[in-house]
């Protein structure tokens, strides 16, 4: 038998004792059921935590994956692509800064292209011959006047 005794108090004064007895074989069955129920609850809790964690991870990483895809497009020289994320948090601020940076790079590339085109036009229309050679004295650039003056027809 398993016994349990609990004092009965009234106004902080002992007025009796409540005593209960139960056969041990009945408590062992209850303990086994409690153990299996507890293990089942733990398994369900772990499974639901895992599923909810995976869902939360997908929700959280979706804008990051989008951002990385856009960054790859920009790295592949598709500068005009814009990152879209209106989140006010860190990722939203990062995407706005990244979009601003991409716009500035696009603008700078446009300016550099215009300057290059101007220089090519100037060099092509000069009557003086201009050669650009590298450190091993190989011709890297020759304007049309230099090609004609030096008979660089293979260039």
């Amino acid at each position: 038998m398993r016994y349990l005794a609990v004092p009965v108090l009234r106004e902080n004064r002992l007025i009796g004792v409540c005593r209960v007895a139960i056969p041990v074989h009945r408590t062992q069955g209850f303990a086994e059921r409690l153990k299996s129920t507890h293990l089942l609850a733990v398994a369900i809790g772990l499974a639901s935590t895992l599923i909810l964690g995976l869902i939360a991870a997908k929700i959280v990483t979706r804008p990051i994956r989008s951002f990385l895809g856009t960054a790859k497009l920009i790295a592949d020289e598709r500068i005009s692509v814009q990152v879209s994320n209106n989140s006010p948090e860190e990722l939203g601020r990062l995407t706005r800064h990244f979009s601003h940076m991409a716009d500035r790079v696009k603008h700078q590339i446009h300016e550099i292209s215009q300057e290059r085109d101007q220089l090519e036009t100037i060099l092509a229309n000069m009557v003086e011959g201009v050669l650009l050679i590298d450190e091993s004295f190989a011709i890297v650039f020759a304007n049309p006047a230099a090609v004609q003056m030096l008979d660089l027809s293979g260039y």
Side-chain angles (χ1 to χ4, degrees), residues 50-120:
L50 179 66
I51 290 169
L52 290 174
L54 289 172
I55 291 169
K58 275 196 174 262
I59 290 169
V60 168
T61 59
R62 183 178 302 135
I64 295 171
R65 286 192 310 266
S66 171
F67 179 79
L68 289 174
T70 304
K72 183 176 180 344
L73 290 174
I74 290 173
D76 292 341
E77 298 179 9
R78 291 192 235 163
I79 300 290
S80 61
V81 175
Q82 289 294 314
V83 182
S84 61
N85 183 352
N86 297 326
S87 171
E89 297 171 10
E90 287 84 4
L91 187 60
R93 289 197 315 262
L94 176 64
T95 55
R96 285 189 293 279
H97 289 304
F98 190 82
S99 292
H100 179 69
M101 180 186 65
D103 287 341
R104 289 189 53 140
V105 167
K106 181 179 171 182
H107 178 71
Q108 288 175 340
I109 288 173
H110 179 72
E111 284 183 353
I112 290 170
S113 295
Q114 282 183 327
E115 289 175 11
R116 184 200 62 222
D117 292 344
Q118 282 179 330
L119 287 174
E120 285 179 358

Side-chain angles (χ1 to χ4, degrees), residues 136-153:
S136 63
F137 300 105
I139 298 173
V140 177
F141 174 81
N143 72 342
V147 171
Q148 184 179 359
M149 286 180 199
L150 300 173
D151 192 27
L152 299 172
S153 56

Side-chain angles (χ1 to χ4, degrees), residues 9 11 30-31 60 79 85 107 121-122 134 143-145:
L9 303 171
E11 298 175 1
F30 177 73
V60 168
I79 300 290
N85 183 352
H107 178 71
T121 302
I122 291 169
D134 64 11
N143 72 342

